[in-house]
Amino acid sequence: MVSRCFTLHLSPHPHHSLSSPIFPKPKPNCPLATPLTPTPLTTTPTLKFQRCHKFQPMASKQPKISPQFDESRPDPTLTNDDLKPTKPADRTFSGLEMASLWVGLVVGVPTYYLAGSLVDLGMSWWQGIATVVAANVILLIPLVLTGHPGTRYGIPFPVLARSSFGIRGAHVPTLLRALVGCGWYGIETWIGGEAIFLLLPKSIKESQSLSQNLPWLGTSPLEFACFVVFWFVQLAIVWRGMEGIRKLEKYSAPILIILTSSLLIWAYVKAGGFGYMLSLSSKLSNSQFWSLFFPSLTANISFWATLALNIPDFTRYAKTQKDQVLGQIGLPVFMGLFTFVGLAVTSSTKVIFGHVISSPIQLLGQIGGVYTIVLAIIGISLATLTTNIAANVVAPANALVNLSPSKFTFKRGALLTALLGIAFQPWRLLKSSESFVYTWLVGYSALLGPIGGIILVDYYLIKRMNLCVNDLYSLSPRGEYYYSGGYNLAAMAALAVGIFPVVPGLLQKTGVLSYVPDLFVVIYNNAWFCSFFSAGILYWILSFLRGKQEDSQLIDPLINTT
């Protein structure tokens, strides 16, 4: 007896009808997009059974929860209120609010610092901006593609990962994404703590006992205390859940735009224009530029590759597919504009102060004036909050909920994320442009690239955008995504193959290995591209071979197919 869900491929042969009892019935929890209706024929069909991934999609203009999701059927170990598909009342993100989300994400110290790091490494100002924009145009493609199932089915990233990695196997990609998110959470929290440190009276900041670095800690007690204070401020906002995050992003966006524009105008007036920035030329030869360009492109893609994976966590709240697409187009635009601001203001400091100040926090401290400093603190804190909470809390929290829905809620997951952010010791990751761009950013792209490649190949080429939603919440061995004991071995193998070639280059970059062959250096410098495509292609091949094997096993031996 065949225990899977099927579609029928018919080719005519004489004398049987479609009402024959030999036709298997589709599983109740995996209904077909178009029901099979008996049609009078005078010929006998040749039957070929295939697993069914059909699903009645949500309308693009009037999204609604699919009638195929039965709230009484999900396994309690696989779902809670944070993982269930969103209901119509939850679909509150318009295109403008999706764009506001990106404003809040982009306007922040790391983005300001990123293009400046490229110039610091030898690029001209326009080469730095072009590299950032090119990376984000490339990244826009997986962002929109991965966002589609979130809007269509109302499911978060951990649930989407079940369709390709298996019900239990999904823990691997979601926890890898969570690990990167925890690291970023720590980095952003450290930046917010620096803003608080800036506001402190000079007498406290110069205190010998509080401001002296502790070798075992890697920073001073005072800076660490500011870090902890900002850590608690963020947690208070996260405790309100997704609706609190939506409102924070929506109302912060115009404030951040005004503050950024004010800083740019100040720099332009004080420096008498952007002449110095426009005169900055590349310090690199042609060969040196290209050897720097590709790892820099990878680093910039990695910058938002985290969101390219778990973007369904946000697009599941979008009103329509049009809203999620239009909102995400803002990414390369906002990234290009803000990196221009970062480079323009940084270069103007050479004219204004006689030396370059690359950190916006240090710059705002140099401007002086109580009102200016207070406004700066508000701006930096707001920018850090909007980026950190949306980009680095939602994914790890949902991953932990997916790990054990009965033990973790979104709030508990967010708390653990915040604690792990401290363990990453972010003050060490930010110690130089080299460690930030080429160790942290490029390094973790090797983890995220293959996950994205596998999920996109599975959703678009294997499943053809059709998912059985009930089976995403089922531990039944007959479930569509149970695979082998809950793990899709093809996805696991492809993930390992995607990550492994990047490891030698990472070990050399971190100083564990003193030498690796040039091939591994090239692979590491292009880590996201190599891992994304190698894992995706291998997964497609393995799935194709598995599908052919299953098709041959599912042909009914009682039917003559000659």
Side-chain angles (χ1 to χ4, degrees), residues 125-249:
W125 69 273
W126 66 266
Q127 287 173 336
I129 294 175
T131 302
V132 171
V133 172
N136 285 277
V137 169
I138 293 171
L139 191 61
L140 183 63
I141 298 171
L143 264 169
V144 170
L145 292 178
T146 311
H148 184 278
T151 303
R152 186 174 191 178
Y153 297 104
I155 54 176
F157 166 65
V159 175
L160 174 62
R162 294 172 185 173
S163 68
S164 52
F165 286 87
I167 295 298
R168 294 192 175 101
H171 295 316
V172 175
T174 53
L175 289 176
L176 288 176
R177 167 63 184 94
L179 187 67
V180 175
C182 291
W184 264 117
Y185 185 88
I187 289 174
E188 293 279 4
T189 305
W190 178 256
I191 291 169
E194 283 189 308
I196 295 175
F197 180 80
L198 178 67
L199 188 61
L200 296 175
K202 188 175 181 179
S203 59
I204 297 178
K205 288 190 286 186
E206 294 179 351
S207 170
Q208 189 68 23
S209 59
L210 295 176
S211 60
Q212 187 174 3
N213 278 8
L214 300 177
W216 63 271
L217 184 61
T219 186
S220 69
L222 185 59
E223 288 177 298
F224 185 76
C226 293
F227 167 75
V228 172
V229 169
F230 196 79
W231 186 90
F232 277 108
V233 170
Q234 288 181 120
L235 203 59
I237 297 174
V238 171
W239 219 247
R240 298 186 60 191
M242 280 300 299
E243 183 60 19
I245 294 173
R246 182 185 74 86
K247 290 182 178 179
L248 174 68
E249 301 293 341

Side-chain angles (χ1 to χ4, degrees), residues 382-406:
L382 193 60
T384 304
L385 285 170
T386 54
T387 302
N388 208 20
I389 291 174
N392 307 316
V393 173
V394 176
N398 281 341
L400 293 168
V401 171
N402 183 60
L403 184 64
S404 180
S406 61

Side-chain angles (χ1 to χ4, degrees), residues 199-526:
L199 188 61
L200 296 175
K202 188 175 181 179
S203 59
I204 297 178
K205 288 190 286 186
E206 294 179 351
S207 170
Q208 189 68 23
S209 59
L210 295 176
S211 60
Q212 187 174 3
N213 278 8
L214 300 177
W216 63 271
L217 184 61
T219 186
S220 69
L222 185 59
E223 288 177 298
F224 185 76
C226 293
F227 167 75
V228 172
V229 169
F230 196 79
W231 186 90
F232 277 108
V233 170
Q234 288 181 120
L235 203 59
I237 297 174
V238 171
W239 219 247
R240 298 186 60 191
M242 280 300 299
E243 183 60 19
I245 294 173
R246 182 185 74 86
K247 290 182 178 179
L248 174 68
E249 301 293 341
K250 178 180 179 180
Y251 297 115
S252 296
I255 298 174
L256 292 173
I257 291 173
I258 292 171
L259 293 174
T260 301
S261 301
S262 300
L263 183 61
L264 183 64
I265 293 170
W266 171 86
Y268 183 87
V269 172
K270 283 287 186 179
F274 298 133
Y276 180 77
M277 182 195 78
L278 299 176
S279 67
L280 289 175
S281 58
S282 176
K283 302 174 185 176
L284 308 170
S285 65
N286 192 51
S287 60
Q288 288 174 329
F289 169 77
W290 289 112
S291 65
L292 179 65
F293 172 77
F294 287 106
S296 299
L297 186 71
T298 300
N300 276 273
I301 288 175
S302 304
F303 197 76
W304 291 123
T306 51
L307 263 293
L309 273 188
N310 74 289
I311 195 64
D313 292 339
F314 299 96
T315 60
R316 66 194 291 234
Y317 296 98
K319 293 179 179 179
T320 66
Q321 291 288 358
K322 181 179 179 182
D323 286 311
Q324 76 99 353
V325 172
L326 290 178
Q328 297 206 73
I329 290 174
L331 172 61
V333 176
F334 299 142
M335 280 294 290
L337 290 174
F338 194 69
T339 50
F340 172 82
V341 172
L343 283 174
V345 175
T346 299
S347 65
S348 70
T349 60
K350 175 70 175 178
V351 178
I352 299 169
F353 299 104
H355 60 279
V356 174
I357 303 175
S358 58
S359 169
I361 296 175
Q362 294 176 7
L363 170 61
L364 292 167
Q366 287 288 324
I367 292 175
V370 175
Y371 294 110
T372 302
I373 291 179
V374 171
L375 190 63
I377 298 304
I378 293 172
I380 292 173
S381 299
L382 193 60
T384 304
L385 285 170
T386 54
T387 302
N388 208 20
I389 291 174
N392 307 316
V393 173
V394 176
N398 281 341
L400 293 168
V401 171
N402 183 60
L403 184 64
S404 180
S406 61
K407 296 180 180 178
F408 280 105
T409 62
F410 180 85
K411 292 179 180 179
R412 290 178 182 177
L415 176 59
L416 184 54
T417 298
L419 291 171
L420 291 173
I422 299 175
F424 267 83
Q425 301 185 65
W427 47 91
R428 299 186 190 275
L429 291 174
L430 289 173
K431 64 183 179 181
S432 70
S433 298
E434 178 76 15
S435 62
F436 175 63
V437 175
Y438 298 118
T439 302
W440 171 242
L441 291 179
V442 176
Y444 75 63
S445 70
L447 300 177
L448 304 187
I451 297 172
I454 291 166
I455 287 177
L456 290 181
V457 166
D458 183 78
Y459 181 69
Y460 287 96
L461 301 183
I462 309 299
K463 304 294 194 301
R464 304 286 181 176
M465 299 187 291
N466 293 306
L467 302 177
C468 295
V469 175
N470 275 329
D471 281 4
L472 291 170
Y473 299 87
S474 172
L475 275 176
S476 169
R478 298 178 59 193
E480 200 63 31
Y481 313 112
Y482 192 76
Y483 298 106
S484 300
Y487 296 88
N488 185 352
L489 300 182
M492 294 300 174
L495 178 62
V497 169
I499 294 174
F500 181 75
V502 184
V503 173
L506 176 62
L507 294 177
Q508 192 243 3
K509 181 62 66 176
T510 55
V512 176
L513 296 177
S514 58
Y515 170 79
V516 296
D518 290 342
L519 175 62
F520 289 110
V521 175
V522 173
I523 291 174
Y524 179 78
N525 289 340
N526 298 275

Side-chain angles (χ1 to χ4, degrees), residues 539-559:
Y539 177 69
W540 184 83
I541 293 172
L542 294 175
S543 298
F544 177 76
L545 295 176
R546 182 189 64 201
K548 289 190 68 174
Q549 182 182 13
E550 290 185 353
D551 285 348
S552 65
Q553 294 172 351
L554 292 175
I555 294 179
D556 195 318
L558 299 178
I559 297 178

Side-chain angles (χ1 to χ4, degrees), residues 8-11 22-23 45-49 555-556 559 561:
L8 307 181
H9 296 268
L10 310 177
S11 58
I22 61 174
F23 285 86
T46 295
L47 300 167
K48 185 179 180 182
F49 300 117
I555 294 179
D556 195 318
I559 297 178
T561 59

